[in-house]
């Protein structure tokens, strides 16, 4: 593996906190991988994102131990501006991502590219593409502050994707989206992966994770408890002890097992349940 | 207790955006209703009309026996509490406890009652341990609960929560369910906007679905989740239990995990 993000024995405490929020975290994230971080509220997911993006230690002080490397470079030694070109960060709260200096959605999405001094024609073309991709073309002339929650969340995503960074750190990008919009955003994330991006995604929606993600990192109380292929992680008995949500199909299957049904495998997608039950029946010697 | 009525309500924002067209909606006193639907459909706009943050361009909005056009936002906010979609629009104190106390104090409750309501609200919302912290140092999910607590502490007759389920883990969702139940016991009228269809299926009987500036369906969740055209127009998906039930050839109307389980156990050997 060619790790693009490496954390080695990282522990961190915020300046005003008395406990470590991340505890001895070690991780390698390979180039071109889509890695999803799950964990309960307050587990430290956003903190981990802040660290990869360099906001810790550049913006948030506090006590940081261990090392964080992006492309082999120690993040504490890098400039925040340089990191911004390499790493796009979509904030958990889309309401705070809007720059506040642009009056239309189009200009908002163009803003980052303008700052980089990209030629005007290129900017126009790239913004047009992204407005289509993220399905906000109809909002192009609206003031970014006069949008619904879900519309803002799409604009926030668009304003990062348009920058075309190698690494995307995306913190709960679908929290304000309707169910179909959620799938569309996951399709976009998949597309970014196909374009070779390394993606770190924080998400609570396990059904979507089961559908789209390769690799899962499970964070609990600031520690990485499990890290592996999605199906293996959900099937790992120690996952249950962490009290984190399962995909709905898996939760159903686990309940059925508890009631005495024997199932041949743990379904993690809705459409796998029928097959799982059919195989269970065959094993029972029924048609 | 307080009923809410929207009669022939339309609304346009100052920039000309038509956000609502001809809404008819009655939420009875003490009722619990979920509103769901497409991003940009007008959900937030509709509920902001109910507590006077916005005023209808056409039609009337009634809160109990008040016509909102005759009332100030301050008057309305005593009856109708609103938890903003974005918690940061609402939080302005440096300590959680002060944030939550502000509402009841401002309502004119005496010190003892303010203390009592504050303790009740932060207990119910599971944020007691954060009482002395700065809300801005809390993760998103906890900030949302700070705003839920500060609204319910005002003890208004109507509570509206805008996307409280966003970003919540299963503990957070269980707390929200307790909040709904407790408000119900106290006779409150509760309106919850959410994109979480499992949460709707598990905890709401009545679902209002919005799409394209209108209410396109209003009725029992178990019926609406089998209306494909409605779901399609409003960008919704049925809850997982309904999708699995369909794949197993089980009857329509199964929307909760427990129902699904019973059907499967009745049919499969175990
Ligand atoms: N700026 C800060 N100052 C002090 N403590 C903080 C700060 N930000 C977060 N914390 C604390 O760090 C812990 C982890 O927070 P973090 O935001 O990383 O959680 P999370 O897993 O992203 O939660 P959520 O699911 O709610 O988004 C929490 O206990 C939180 O209170
Ligand atoms: N302040 C505003 N000025 C102008 N238009 C606005 C304003 N706020 C919202 N809108 C527009 O009004 C419409 C309805 O927005 P609203 O916020 O009510 O949607 P919503 O159903 O709550 O969506 P979401 O699920 O994304 O939160 C949208 O088209 C939105 O762009
Ligand atoms: Mg977070
Ligand atoms: Mg809204």
């Amino acid at each position: 593996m060619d790790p693009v993000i490496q954390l080695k024995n990282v522990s961190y405490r915020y300046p005003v906190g008395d406990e470590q929020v991340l505890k001895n975290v070690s991780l390698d994230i390979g180039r071109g991988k889509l890695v999803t971080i799950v964990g309960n509220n307050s587990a430290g997911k956003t903190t981990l994102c802040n660290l990869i993006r360099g906001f810790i230690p550049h913006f948030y002080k506090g006590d940081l131990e261990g090392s964080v490397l992006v492309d082999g470079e120690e993040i504490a030694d890098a400039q925040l501006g340089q990191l911004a070109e390499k790493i796009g960060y979509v904030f958990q709260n889309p309401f705070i991502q809007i720059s506040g200096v642009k009056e239309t959605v189009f200009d908002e999405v163009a803003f980052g590219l303008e700052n980089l001094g990209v030629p005007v024609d290129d900017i126009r073309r790239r913004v047009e593409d992204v407005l289509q991709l993220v399905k906000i073309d109809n909002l192009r002339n609206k003031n970014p502050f006069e949008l619904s929650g879900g519309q803002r969340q799409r604009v926030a995503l668009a304003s990062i994707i348009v920058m075309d960074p190698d690494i995307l750190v995306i913190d709960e990008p679908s929290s304000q989206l309707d169910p179909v919009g959620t799938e569309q955003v996951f399709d976009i994330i998949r597309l970014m992966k196909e374009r070779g991006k390394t993606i770190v995604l924080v998400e609570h929606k396990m059904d979507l994770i089961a559908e789209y993600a390769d690799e899962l990192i499970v964070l609990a109380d600031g520690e990485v408890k499990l890290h592996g292929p999605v199906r293996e992680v959900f099937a790992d008995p120690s996952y249950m002890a962490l009290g984190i949500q399962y995909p709905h199909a898996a939760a159903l299957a686990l309940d059925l097992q508890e009631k005495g049904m024997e199932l041949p495998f743990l379904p993690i997608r809705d459409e796998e349940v029928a097959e799982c039950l059919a195989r269970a029946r065959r094993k029972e010697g029924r048609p | 207790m307080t009923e809410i009525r929207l009669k022939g309500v339309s609304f346009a924002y100052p920039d000309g955006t038509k956000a609502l067209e001809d809404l008819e909606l009655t939420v009875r006193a003490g009722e619990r209703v979920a509103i769901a639907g497409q991003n940009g459909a007008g959900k937030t706009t509709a509920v902001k009309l109910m507590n006077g943050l916005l005023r209808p361009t056409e039609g009337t909005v009634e809160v109990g026996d008040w016509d909102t056009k005759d009332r100030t936002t301050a008057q309305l906010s005593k009856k109708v509490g609103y938890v903003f979609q974005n918690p940061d629009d609402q939080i302005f104190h440096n300590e959680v406890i002060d944030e939550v106390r502000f509402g009841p104090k401002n309502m004119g409750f005496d010190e003892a009652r303010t203390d009592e309501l504050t303790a009740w609200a932060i207990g119910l919302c599971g944020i007691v341990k954060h009482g002395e912290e700065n809300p801005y140092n809390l993760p998103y999910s906890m900030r949302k609960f700070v705003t839920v607590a500060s609204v319910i502490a005002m003890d208004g007759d109507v509570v509206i929560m805008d996307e409280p389920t966003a970003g919540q883990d299963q503990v957070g969702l269980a707390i929200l369910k307790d909040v709904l139940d407790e408000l119900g016991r106290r006779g409150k009228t509760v309106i919850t906007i959410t994109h979480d269809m499992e949460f709707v299926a598990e905890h709401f009987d009545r679902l209002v679905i919005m799409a394209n500036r209108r209410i396109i369906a209003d009725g029992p969740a178990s019926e609406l989740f089998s209306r494909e055209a409605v779901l399609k127009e409003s960008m919704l998906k049925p809850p997982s239990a309904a999708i699995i039930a369909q794949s197993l050839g089980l009857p329509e109307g199964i929307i909760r995990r427990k129902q699904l389980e019973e059907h499967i156990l009745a049919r499969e050997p175990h």
Side-chain angles (χ1 to χ4, degrees):
Chain A
M1 180 165 78
D2 165 22
V4 57
I5 300 168
Q6 284 180 290
L7 276 71
K8 292 182 187 158
N9 308 105
V10 173
S11 298
Y12 176 68
R13 182 174 54 194
Y14 282 100
V16 299
D18 21 72
E19 276 178 46
Q20 285 185 335
V21 169
L22 294 176
K23 296 167 194 151
N24 200 26
V25 172
S26 294
L27 285 178
D28 284 351
I29 296 177
R31 198 174 299 280
K33 287 270 191 254
L34 166 53
V35 175
T36 304
I37 300 173
V38 301
N40 283 341
N41 294 141
S42 306
K45 304 180 297 295
T46 297
T47 304
L48 187 60
C49 293
N50 281 329
L51 195 63
I52 294 171
R53 171 64 183 79
F55 290 145
I56 299 170
H58 289 280
F59 178 75
Y60 295 103
K61 301 300 173 191
D63 301 332
L64 176 63
E65 291 165 28
S67 74
V68 183
L69 304 169
V70 171
D71 270 341
E73 186 184 15
E74 192 66 63
I75 217 147
D77 302 334
Q79 302 277 317
L80 262 188
Q82 283 169 351
L83 284 171
E85 283 180 41
K86 200 179 289 183
I87 308 177
Y89 188 8
V90 183
F91 288 100
Q92 179 166 10
N93 186 350
F95 297 95
I96 61 174
Q97 189 123 28
I98 309 283
S99 70
V101 299
K102 293 295 180 184
E103 289 187 2
T104 68
V105 165
F106 187 99
D107 290 347
E108 177 68 30
V109 176
F111 181 57
L113 293 174
E114 275 172 22
N115 283 345
L116 289 183
V118 174
V120 178
D121 285 346
D122 287 356
I123 294 182
R124 193 162 301 142
R125 187 179 41 77
R126 284 167 69 171
V127 173
E128 290 294 350
D129 284 353
V130 169
L131 293 181
Q132 298 289 339
L133 179 68
V134 184
K135 297 192 165 50
I136 49 172
D137 190 35
N138 58 326
L139 303 174
R140 59 167 57 224
N141 295 319
K142 283 211 65 129
N143 185 317
F145 283 104
E146 296 177 350
L147 297 173
S148 79
Q151 291 169 342
R152 279 201 211 193
Q153 193 155 39
R154 284 172 191 258
V155 171
L157 180 67
S159 66
I160 298 305
I161 283 182
V162 76
M163 306 291 288
D164 199 29
D166 290 340
I167 302 169
L168 286 162
V169 176
I170 313 179
D171 198 355
E172 300 196 34
S174 71
S175 59
Q176 313 289 328
L177 298 185
D178 61 49
V180 173
T182 299
E183 286 185 352
Q184 290 167 348
V185 161
F186 273 82
D187 284 335
I188 292 169
I189 291 170
R190 178 181 275 168
L191 180 71
M192 292 299 124
K193 187 195 154 187
E194 284 162 12
R195 290 187 185 166
K197 311 284 179 207
T198 304
I199 303 165
V200 179
L201 170 70
V202 175
E203 187 54 66
H204 283 292
K205 296 178 183 167
M206 300 301 168
D207 289 14
L208 278 295
I209 289 170
E211 187 72 38
Y212 288 84
D214 313 326
E215 226 180 278
L216 212 52
I217 292 173
V218 182
L219 210 58
D221 295 326
E223 290 180 60
V224 174
K225 300 285 188 181
L226 290 164
H227 183 178
V230 173
R231 199 174 284 277
E232 282 174 27
V233 168
F234 286 134
D236 194 312
S238 63
Y239 183 83
M240 189 176 292
L242 299 171
I244 304 172
Q245 218 133 6
Y246 279 94
H248 291 102
L252 171 75
L254 290 166
D255 276 358
L256 291 172
Q257 278 175 328
E258 207 171 283
K259 303 247 161 76
M261 269 184 86
E262 279 183 40
L263 299 176
F265 67 95
L266 185 71
I268 61 171
R269 297 183 190 144
D270 291 346
E271 63 268 25
E272 293 171 4
V273 173
E275 168 69 17
C276 178
L277 294 179
R279 272 167 57 182
R281 234 176 280 139
R282 280 202 292 276
K283 222 169 125 197
E284 298 270 337
R286 294 184 10 163
Chain B
M1 285 287 142
T2 302
E3 179 169 295
I4 300 236
R5 286 175 301 275
L6 271 58
K7 296 179 178 165
V9 167
S10 297
F11 179 82
Y13 281 100
D15 75 346
T17 305
K18 286 208 177 98
L20 297 173
E21 270 178 57
D22 208 18
L23 254 57
E24 295 287 335
L25 178 70
T26 300
V27 180
R28 291 189 310 279
E31 199 179 8
R32 178 196 291 189
V33 177
I35 304 181
Q38 188 197 45
N39 290 130
K43 303 180 295 297
T44 296
T45 308
V47 298
K48 282 183 173 173
L49 292 168
M50 298 173 187
N51 82 334
L53 285 173
L54 299 172
R55 306 296 171 146
T57 316
E58 276 173 56
T60 53
V61 177
E62 294 168 3
V63 172
D65 48 16
W66 291 357
D67 183 332
T68 59
K69 81 170 184 315
D70 305 326
R71 301 289 159 172
T72 63
T73 308
Q75 282 176 318
L76 286 164
S77 68
K78 293 195 175 181
K79 277 209 174 163
V80 184
Y82 172 57
V83 179
F84 281 69
Q85 186 164 2
N86 175 12
D88 298 349
D89 281 348
Q90 200 170 338
I91 294 173
F92 57 101
H93 287 86
N94 291 328
E95 253 186 50
V96 166
I97 202 89
D98 295 337
E99 183 65 39
V100 178
R101 280 183 63 85
F102 175 79
K105 224 164 111 189
N106 203 37
M107 298 279 289
F109 291 118
D110 65 25
E111 203 70 5
R113 182 74 178 133
T114 299
D115 286 346
E116 188 189 349
L117 284 165
T118 303
W120 166 71
I122 66 171
L124 190 55
C125 290
I127 51 172
V128 175
K129 63 176 180 295
H130 297 303
E132 257 107 74
E133 288 180 57
N134 186 326
Y136 280 98
N137 292 339
L138 296 178
Y140 183 88
S141 53
M142 296 299 136
R143 288 211 299 289
K144 192 79 192 191
F145 273 120
V146 172
T147 63
V148 172
S150 48
V151 166
I152 65 174
M154 291 164 71
D155 201 29
D157 285 353
V158 182
V159 173
I160 301 170
M161 297 190 276
D162 202 343
E163 307 285 358
T165 54
Q168 297 297 345
D169 64 11
Q170 52 188 10
V171 174
L173 294 176
I175 291 174
L176 277 173
K177 176 204 181 287
D178 291 344
V179 170
L180 291 172
D181 289 347
E182 179 62 23
L183 292 174
R185 272 193 288 278
R186 295 186 175 213
K188 310 290 182 193
T189 308
V190 185
I191 299 174
T192 306
I193 299 177
T194 180
H195 291 300
D196 185 335
M197 295 305 115
E198 268 72 26
F199 193 76
V200 171
E202 296 290 339
H203 307 306
F204 291 83
D205 293 325
R206 180 173 172 199
L207 171 62
V208 171
I209 298 182
M210 293 188 67
N212 300 312
R213 304 178 291 282
R214 294 172 181 276
I215 291 173
I216 62 164
D218 180 353
S222 55
E223 279 170 32
L224 300 197
F225 282 134
S226 48
R227 286 174 56 184
E228 274 172 37
V230 166
L231 297 181
K232 190 154 188 263
E233 188 182 352
S234 54
M235 308 289 248
L236 297 180
K237 310 223 118 186
S240 178
I243 295 172
I244 295 172
Q246 197 187 16
S247 77
L248 299 176
L250 293 169
E252 271 186 5
I254 297 172
I255 58 172
R256 296 189 202 97
R257 160 114 54 86
K258 283 277 167 280
Q259 293 174 307
L260 176 59
E261 247 174 69
E262 282 163 19
H263 275 90
I264 294 174
L265 289 169
R267 179 174 110 164
E268 308 285 335
H270 62 282

